[in-house]
Amino acid sequence: KIFANDKYYAGSATTWSLLKDREFLQGSSGPGFDSWIDPALVKLDKDKVETALISVKLYAAYDVGHNVYRPIEKPSFTRRISLDYNIPLVLVNTALDIEEGSGKYAILESNQLNTTFAIVREDNSHLFEIVNGNQLKFRSVPDYETITQKTYQLKIKMTKPNLDDVITDITIKLKNIHDIDPNDLTFSVSNTSFIEKRADGVYYIKENIPVNTTIGSVTIIERDEATPPNYSKYQVFIDKSTKRKYLALLKQPGNKFLVSNALDYESRTTGYETIEIRSPDLKKFFFRKFFNYKIVNVHEKTINIANQVRSVSENAEIGASVGAVITATGDTTITSYSIVSGNNEGIFSIDNNGQITINDNSKLDYETTQTYFINVKVSGEDADDKTAKITINIDNITENIIVINDQQMEILKASDIGVVVGTIVPSSGTVNTWSITDGVDSN
């Protein structure tokens, strides 16, 4: 088919093509497949030939169903067509992109050869120029990030001898390219049960995490909106302090950060890894960033302690023991005991052996408080602290002891009723009431 609007056109830029259900094989006289521009068209255009005879030779036909080439019975055919030389002058592409930066341009192309292009002077025309015949470019170097206007309308005039000039509206879009390098990255925590970022900016990672466990992922912070290149080379440098790295970075999938060696609090508490970002060919360095972390101790031993009861007398001296020492068991070495609650008045204290003693006996009074409940915390090496409730009962002591000695008094015979015989004086103690319990002539 060589037609438009039911007319066959001839000219130096006309494309000749076969019907849709046929195609040229590679190696034919044309450039291959189903269309070509014949150099003979230049002569046709010059001599204004009204008809042309097209001869096509086919070497084989492709059998799609059997996936083979088969010979054809009639390997060639001819077709005569009428030619019309009044083909319209058309701008091939009216929507163009021009990349930001120096030396970038778009190509103006018409459907005919020997066409010249010019910018029609209108609103945006002063921003553009045409160089080298058909290269449309910005007059000044455009920067996508600083220019507000990203789309422009322009009129292009096309001129060709013996044809009327054609003016066509085109749209030009400034295309953003990735020309601002990144300079930072973020680290996203994947599981807060064993890693967290605290206020000091350091990541705290629990020890004993299995090797190859994912602890997070790295994301580059882009400063350019354009599609970035493939930062395929993430490198984690070996920690200089230990000559081995404890965390590793994997590019796929998702730039994951992994535990590559066992993290053990007892042998190592702090560390850092250096992430370096380079271009895919490693020739261009972008930036590096430190990943600082501390290893959190996970207690591997246990402490067992039950609630216990102790007692002490209300008149106990300062420093006196309150019953036996607190008993705790487990596979760790106990390092300390402490009272964490229930001792607001400071009556009790406890030493690192678990012995509770009297710290202040001024308020130790059975008549005021008979029982105290204190919570004692036990700490041990590489073990979680445990707390137990200790009940302390206060024993009552008889404190008012009355001592009275035998005494002799005299009274005159026939004394009147109510006459004072004498006053009985106790040696110690306070007497609240007196009564006569025995004696001669008690009346």
Side-chain angles (χ1 to χ4, degrees):
K1 297 179 180 179
I2 317 168
F3 64 90
N5 299 326
D6 297 326
K7 291 184 179 180
Y8 292 92
Y9 292 104
S12 54
T14 301
T15 298
W16 299 64
S17 63
L18 288 177
L19 296 175
K20 292 292 184 179
D21 58 350
R22 298 184 177 92
E23 71 174 58
F24 277 115
L25 302 179
Q26 291 184 346
S28 63
S29 59
F33 298 108
D34 62 351
S35 63
W36 76 103
I37 296 177
D38 198 316
L41 289 177
V42 178
K43 294 183 179 181
L44 292 175
D45 197 5
K46 179 179 178 181
D47 298 334
K48 302 299 183 192
V49 175
E50 294 182 358
T51 60
L53 186 64
I54 302 175
S55 295
V56 178
K57 183 176 182 180
L58 302 180
Y59 293 91
Y62 182 67
D63 186 341
V64 177
H66 295 85
N67 195 26
V68 294
Y69 286 99
R70 299 184 183 280
I72 57 178
E73 297 179 359
K74 296 181 179 180
S76 63
F77 66 89
T78 61
R79 179 166 297 173
R80 185 176 298 277
I81 62 172
S82 298
L83 303 177
D84 185 346
Y85 294 90
N86 294 321
I87 183 171
L89 191 59
V90 178
L91 189 63
V92 174
N93 192 350
T94 58
L96 303 174
D97 292 336
I98 300 179
E99 292 182 350
E100 64 173 323
S102 177
K104 303 301 176 65
Y105 56 85
I107 296 295
L108 297 171
E109 182 181 1
S110 76
N111 65 336
Q112 299 193 42
L113 301 178
N114 302 321
T115 303
T116 58
F117 304 92
I119 299 174
V120 177
R121 299 295 175 182
E122 286 191 355
D123 295 340
N124 297 314
S125 60
H126 64 285
L127 301 176
F128 299 90
E129 62 180 342
I130 296 175
V131 299
N132 300 324
N134 67 340
Q135 296 177 359
L136 180 63
K137 62 184 291 290
F138 283 88
R139 287 185 181 274
S140 59
V141 178
D143 180 27
Y144 187 90
E145 283 70 28
T146 59
I147 293 179
T148 303
Q149 186 176 358
K150 304 295 192 298
T151 303
Y152 305 84
Q153 303 299 322
L154 206 61
K155 291 183 181 294
I156 298 295
K157 182 175 73 173
M158 295 181 292
T159 303
K160 182 176 181 178
N162 302 320
L163 292 178
D164 294 335
D165 294 345
V166 175
I167 296 177
T168 303
D169 292 319
I170 68 171
T171 300
I172 301 168
K173 289 186 178 180
L174 179 61
K175 185 177 181 181
N176 189 19
I177 62 174
H178 196 278
D179 57 355
I180 302 177
D181 294 335
N183 61 1
D184 200 4
L185 56 80
T186 59
F187 183 84
S188 301
V189 173
S190 59
N191 190 335
T192 56
S193 64
F194 51 75
I195 179 173
E196 64 172 336
K197 184 179 181 180
R198 298 182 183 174
D200 57 4
V202 176
Y203 289 89
Y204 288 75
I205 309 173
K206 291 183 179 179
E207 67 171 333
N208 303 331
I209 299 175
V211 173
N212 295 325
T213 298
T214 298
I215 62 173
S217 61
V218 171
T219 302
I220 295 177
I221 300 175
E222 290 293 347
R223 298 187 296 162
D224 198 311
E225 295 178 0
T227 302
N230 180 22
Y231 302 107
S232 61
K233 299 297 181 182
Y234 294 85
Q235 296 185 0
V236 180
F237 283 72
I238 295 177
D239 191 327
K240 296 181 174 136
S241 64
T242 60
K243 303 303 180 185
R244 62 189 300 206
K245 60 184 179 180
Y246 285 80
L247 305 178
L249 185 63
L250 291 183
K251 169 61 180 168
Q252 296 296 338
N255 306 328
K256 292 183 178 180
F257 228 45
L258 309 176
V259 176
S260 58
N261 285 288
L263 300 175
D264 180 33
Y265 177 85
E266 283 69 30
S267 61
R268 172 189 174 88
T269 59
T270 62
Y272 70 92
E273 306 293 347
T274 305
I275 304 173
E276 185 174 283
I277 307 301
R278 292 181 176 269
S279 61
D281 58 5
L282 298 181
K283 294 181 179 179
K284 185 175 182 180
F285 169 78
F286 293 113
F287 67 93
R288 65 172 55 92
K289 189 169 184 178
F290 293 111
F291 177 84
N292 297 306
Y293 64 92
K294 290 185 178 180
I295 301 174
V296 179
N297 188 27
V298 176
H299 295 142
E300 298 158 332
K301 296 182 180 181
T302 58
I303 297 174
N304 301 310
I305 183 171
N307 297 334
Q308 300 173 41
V309 179
R310 298 290 184 271
S311 62
V312 65
S313 65
E314 64 176 332
N315 65 347
E317 300 293 332
I318 293 176
S321 297
V322 180
V325 297
I326 300 301
T327 56
T329 61
D331 58 356
T332 184
T333 299
I334 303 298
T335 57
S336 67
Y337 293 82
S338 60
I339 301 174
V340 294
S341 64
N343 191 35
N344 296 335
E345 295 177 328
I347 297 175
F348 308 101
S349 63
I350 190 170
D351 61 21
N352 286 337
N353 295 318
Q355 179 64 64
I356 301 175
T357 58
I358 300 299
N359 181 64
D360 182 0
N361 62 358
S362 63
K363 297 180 181 179
L364 198 62
D365 182 23
Y366 176 86
E367 284 68 28
T368 303
T369 305
Q370 290 78 43
T371 304
Y372 291 90
F373 301 96
I374 64 174
N375 289 314
V376 172
K377 182 177 71 174
V378 185
S379 301
E381 293 180 355
D382 199 22
D384 291 331
D385 296 340
K386 291 296 180 64
T387 302
K389 182 173 75 173
I390 308 300
T391 302
I392 300 176
N393 295 319
I394 306 302
D395 295 335
N396 188 27
I397 300 297
T398 301
E399 298 164 328
N400 187 22
I401 301 176
I402 299 174
V403 177
I404 186 171
N405 298 319
D406 293 342
Q407 299 179 35
Q408 182 176 349
M409 297 179 183
E410 294 181 355
I411 186 171
L412 294 176
K413 185 177 180 181
S415 294
D416 294 333
I417 295 174
V419 173
V420 176
V421 177
T423 301
I424 300 173
V425 179
S427 299
S428 64
T430 301
V431 177
N432 295 325
T433 59
W434 297 85
S435 62
I436 299 174
T437 61
D438 193 13
V440 179
D441 195 11
S442 59
N443 295 324

